[in-house]
Amino acid sequence: MDWLLTPGPVRLHPKALEALARPQLHHRTEAAREVFLKARGLLRQAFRTEGEVLILTGSGTLAMEALVKNLFAPGERVLVPVYGKFSERFYEIALEAGLVVERLDFPYGDTPRPEDVAKEGYAGLLLVHSETSTGALADLPALARAFKEKNPEGLVGADMVTSLLVGEVALEAMGVDAAASGSQKGLMCPPGLGFVALSPRALERLKPRGYYLDLARELKAQKEGESAWTPAINLVRAVAAVLEAVLPRLEEHLALKAWQNALLYGVGEEGGLRPVPKRFSPAVAAFYLPEGVPYARVKEAFARRGAVIAGGQGPLKGKVFRLSLMGAYDRYEALGVAAMFREVLEEILPAS
Ligand code: PLP
């Protein structure tokens, strides 16, 4: 078995594996409705929202697009800080959705400061919480507050794809009106489901459009435990099973994920590697490649030890590598991965 040290998809939770070994459910049955309603209720707890969470069959990007297209009408002005590959994606989605987009560029690894988004005249602000491409964590509450002081009617949409069940997430308490996430990251399930969390404020402001992406139609069906179209219902069952196991001990789980990521940074920094982000997300540890060492060499050194890692994206391609223990790894497995990482560094770093 491979050690998946990639920031998604990740090593599956045993409860997900167990759920996925069960027979196909038919989605228009009482058993499926129960599963769907259970998953939605648990996802509301995970996002800490009094609003609604919609489960869509697709990946995180689908959830991002559904969020943008159902909250903002063409021609509305939105602010999109770009500080990594996924904030770049939010920018592209907003443009494609016909919005008037003001893009604010930051070096990859950085995140915007509250004063950068304290600008008047916008219907919305789109932010990536945990920028997986750089390992940076944006300070969502401070950014949402600064934006809303200038735009009291404005809506804040967040990509919480690699913060849900990995770091602190609390929709309304963070000043976030809507968030997108997916099944293959902190939820430790296979890829295939996207989630859109909508606060009570966002629910009042829905401007549905699209056909498959029409969230008003989904909401109507999902309130009854159904979905508008055939859902990946067995994945929904896996999500419910994992959340049921993890949520009662969420604090402990988040502390473990934070400790594991800090462990990876500790090993890298001991080896003289330079971290990419300024504010660390607990989802992934990103390092610049050592001088003169190509990414292929690091990847191959991990692969020989049975591990799969991730490289750089966008402008960081060929410049960085990334490791993640976001999947179902316990404390002692993480210590084993840290030992593997030390071995790799001894092998690839020039002897001093
Ligand atoms: N946003 C972030 C922060 C991500 O890490 C990812 C996946 O890597 C996505 C969005 C896109 O999700 P997907 O690949 O599931 O469409």
Side-chain angles (χ1 to χ4, degrees):
M1 187 180 68
D2 279 336
W3 290 80
L4 273 188
L5 304 181
T6 45
V10 302
R11 182 193 266 190
L12 300 181
H13 193 283
K15 290 285 179 192
L17 288 169
E18 209 175 276
L20 292 165
R22 298 182 59 193
Q24 180 63 46
L25 264 175
H26 193 281
H27 58 292
R28 308 286 181 215
T29 59
E30 201 41 48
R33 276 188 281 275
E34 249 175 53
V35 165
F36 213 96
L37 289 172
K38 185 177 185 183
R40 289 209 329 116
L42 292 166
L43 281 165
R44 283 177 79 223
Q45 282 180 43
F47 277 104
R48 286 182 45 206
T49 178
E50 294 298 317
E52 296 278 353
V53 181
L54 297 172
I55 302 172
L56 307 177
T57 297
S59 73
T61 305
L62 175 90
M64 292 168 81
E65 182 170 356
L67 181 158
V68 170
K69 289 195 171 156
N70 284 266
L71 279 192
F72 305 106
E76 286 192 318
R77 289 186 77 207
V78 293
L79 195 56
V80 186
V82 174
Y83 41 100
K85 174 91 177 148
F86 297 105
S87 35
E88 179 90 44
R89 188 169 301 178
F90 244 165
Y91 168 76
E92 289 170 1
I93 289 172
L95 270 190
E96 199 280 329
L99 311 187
V100 177
V101 195
E102 180 163 342
R103 173 184 173 128
L104 300 173
D105 277 289
F106 297 87
Y108 273 40
D110 218 338
T111 46
R113 291 155 304 166
E115 54 270 34
D116 298 319
V117 298
K119 300 171 106 192
E120 259 170 57
Y122 295 94
L125 170 67
L126 297 175
L127 292 167
V128 174
H129 192 192
S130 163
E131 193 24 285
T132 326
S133 62
T134 68
L137 187 73
D139 186 352
L140 284 194
L143 293 165
R145 208 176 311 120
F147 175 77
K148 286 185 176 172
E149 270 169 23
K150 298 285 183 187
N151 303 277
E153 290 304 306
L155 294 169
V156 175
D159 168 327
M160 291 182 155
V161 174
T162 55
S163 50
L164 188 68
L165 242 62
V166 189
E168 193 65 36
V169 162
L171 208 68
E172 289 93 295
M174 288 180 145
V176 173
D177 299 292
S181 197
S183 51
Q184 81 276 26
K185 311 279 185 175
L187 269 81
M188 299 169 277
C189 285
L193 294 178
F195 312 118
V196 182
L198 298 164
S199 69
R201 188 164 178 258
L203 285 167
E204 282 173 13
R205 306 265 298 270
L206 273 192
K207 296 171 177 156
R209 62 170 151 148
Y211 192 87
Y212 198 84
L213 290 187
D214 179 342
L215 293 187
R217 182 173 357 208
E218 277 302 336
L219 184 60
K220 190 160 172 272
Q222 295 198 15
K223 278 188 170 164
E224 308 300 320
E226 298 252 347
S227 57
W229 322 113
T230 309
I233 186 71
N234 286 29
L235 284 181
V236 178
R237 179 155 62 186
V239 162
V242 173
L243 287 171
E244 202 167 33
V246 176
L247 286 179
R249 35 171 292 271
L250 184 62
E251 251 178 63
E252 196 187 316
H253 177 75
L254 299 185
L256 174 69
K257 293 296 126 184
W259 176 83
Q260 290 177 330
N261 209 52
L263 178 69
L264 295 176
Y265 272 121
V267 173
E269 291 189 86
E270 249 170 55
L273 298 182
R274 189 158 64 91
V276 177
K278 291 191 179 150
R279 292 182 91 244
F280 293 176
S281 156
V284 60
F287 300 99
Y288 286 102
L289 288 160
E291 192 74 28
V293 179
Y295 172 62
R297 179 128 184 261
V298 185
K299 183 178 165 186
E300 189 277 327
F302 274 101
R304 235 185 305 115
R305 293 167 171 85
V308 187
I309 67 161
Q313 295 172 297
L316 294 181
K317 201 171 168 66
K319 295 191 177 142
V320 310
F321 70 97
R322 296 173 299 146
L323 303 176
S324 171
L325 289 166
M326 191 163 35
Y329 289 109
D330 69 16
R331 181 180 173 85
Y332 297 100
E333 288 164 328
L335 288 167
V337 169
M340 182 194 295
F341 187 14
R342 274 193 202 97
E343 263 189 32
V344 167
L345 289 180
E346 275 169 28
E347 183 184 315
I348 62 169
L349 290 173
S352 51

